[in-house]
Amino acid sequence: MTRFHNKVHADKTGREIFVEAALEAAASVDKGFSFRDAGMLVLGNFTSDVFEGQGHTAALMADWLGVNPVPAVRVEDACASSGAALNVGVFAIASGMTDVAIVGGVEKMSQLNTEGVTDALALAADNLYEISVGFTFPSIYAAIASAYLHKYGARWEELAAVAIKNHVNGALNPKAHFQADIMTTAKRIGEKQGRTFANEMDFLKSEFNPIVSSPLRLFDCCPVSDGAAVAVLAADDVAKRYTDTPIHIAGIGQASDTIALHSRPDITTLSATVKAAGDAYKMAGIKPRDIRVADVHDCFTIAEVLATEDLGFFPKGAGGKAAEEGRTSLKGDTPINPDGGLKAKGHPVGATGVAMAYEMFKQLRGEAGAVQVGGAEVGLIHNVGAAGATVVVQVMRR
Amino acid sequence: MTRFHNKVHADKTGREIFVEAALEAAASVDKGFSFRDAGMLVLGNFTSDVFEGQGHTAALMADWLGVNPVPAVRVEDACASSGAALNVGVFAIASGMTDVAIVGGVEKMSQLNTEGVTDALALAADNLYEISVGFTFPSIYAAIASAYLHKYGARWEELAAVAIKNHVNGALNPKAHFQADIMTTAKRIGEKQGRTFANEMDFLKSEFNPIVSSPLRLFDCCPVSDGAAVAVLAADDVAKRYTDTPIHIAGIGQASDTIALHSRPDITTLSATVKAAGDAYKMAGIKPRDIRVADVHDCFTIAEVLATEDLGFFPKGAGGKAAEEGRTSLKGDTPINPDGGLKAKGHPVGATGVAMAYEMFKQLRGEAGAVQVGGAEVGLIHNVGAAGATVVVQVMRR
């Protein structure tokens, strides 16, 4: 995985960022790996069409990795593109079409300004009924947050707790976009402005954390990042050629839901998360309580709260409280987003699903360094497209 | 399959066109089919992102078909998007993930003007080394045609023979974009202009068939069309629930090649066609001579000539001559594009691969009406992305 960032990749194209991640992936395989070993390339990419004026990106990446003539398939399911690509890789291997696949994701976003990025991301919503009336993703998730806070009598501070926790984790992740906890940021800004902040919440309630779309403030939103992540996927009986400690994909799930929020009976739950997770748990033969650590899709803080509930870790309405009580922190009983999540790690949309697999691979091999969760035998990753019109879940096992 | 056309769908969105094709697909299943029977939706779509300002199209189509929460996966491999989607559907079924999948393709292009469409299609080429210097698809295929004519001492008239034959076939296809053979068009234009054309070639060499990119003229190029096509894919042991005369996908192949033409040792062959077809023949246990009828990717006339050679039907350099001699016509020994091909049927890019499957399904069931090829037991479909950076082949059998 490359670093996720909006500046360090400024002079690179998406293809260069992808190759950077792929080279690292190949070099990190214990017993060695050549791109030529792969019988297929599956690429998650949301819309390089709009971001870079380049479509046909799977074939492009196959070309730049030098793996022609293997089949190269691009999967687009909005921000869940590479999560879905991972499942397509599983299908290809399970079908016997190939024993080894390179599965990756990439997005180069930061060359557009905030307005341009917001417009590009809005392609994932309904352009007839949502986008055309000014509903973009910050406001879509703000609507979800408003409904959630109202329904469960929850407080915005519970959402803020997610941001505080994820920035603490991101500060420990050398590949994260933001590598500072919020108190460090508050002190830095305070010094410049001649202000003192008593604690994170004091800062987060200040004018330095402006409202983006009420009730969501700046620190409730993930940043715009560039980046790529690549995984090597192998059939169970072939994996031992490459490593003595493979990580298994024990269960997979994917589900769809209506594109437009207005078509859903309840917007305080992502029903596609419930369905995709249920399928993945069933295939893995486990229950939510068996998950020791999870990477969930926190494009906005409210999204992490919904995820931890919809995945079955906490009852509905209790996810924010759990974050506030520290239960989802590294030392909590249910560590969520040890890598900082989309919130602090960054969210180059097409790369996010495989970047979650990257973190979980490290966690389950005990190689996660400063953010290692103890006793991580079974983990889960959860990748959301748009506001849950697509959700992909994988259960991974040591 | 909807009609492919640039005007009849003018007031519809891509989602409406797709649903139209899907409703026809469901209604045409012999023993009945409900969308709810499907465990997955796989959608081929090139760039509704640019054409319609709408991404995340698989989830959108699942929503509009009412099949939520089944997984919905969009596949993008340029003009081979729905050919590749068909293979992903095969992987999903062969892996055991689902027994029944809806696989479709759609593109709504004609709302853009010719310049806009040309720019959008150019996303499939290399934006660093080709598009940025003015190389768009008509000129890319013109370069291929020039090299081909030079290398094999072939004549432009051989290319024109492909257009003449495909318009003859298209005139018999009620779903084709152009439903007139070239002599009919020549007479119509001749009457208006007070001119008489002795035959097709006399017309095709006139100013009414202007050069687009030398040596390719207007009638060497497929039109810009809107349309959708949908197939119902079922596991072998499940298909009998739906019909007593299923058509089998007996072999599949997909291959990649360099994006940029300049990276290839020889541009008079699409090596990805050779590889993809070889894999599909091997899986089906057949040879090229066993193919009775084929739908090949004739985005430009030269593309059909290359395809009929690279698929193994004719020796290199002999494809144009074979078309000129009528061997690829409906009554020839090797009928190619009985439905009129992209040339006359139209080419809503993301829909083309599944539209080929639609034609081959009818051919192999003996339901192809005026364009039925006698003794069609085994057929082949061939879908190309860009100038062969992606090629997908399926062998289909009664």
Side-chain angles (χ1 to χ4, degrees), chain A residues 184-202:
Chain A
T184 301
T185 302
K187 279 181 190 154
R188 185 173 55 77
I189 291 178
E191 276 164 23
K192 268 193 210 161
Q193 306 281 336
R195 286 272 293 276
T196 309
F197 298 104
N199 52 39
E200 289 95 338
M201 212 53 88
D202 188 28

Side-chain angles (χ1 to χ4, degrees), chain A residues 1-3 9 12 15-25 65:
Chain A
M1 171 185 160
T2 67
R3 186 170 176 197
H9 303 299
K12 302 173 200 163
R15 64 184 85 181
E16 292 169 295
I17 300 171
F18 180 80
V19 168
E20 189 179 318
L23 288 170
E24 185 194 300
L65 287 189

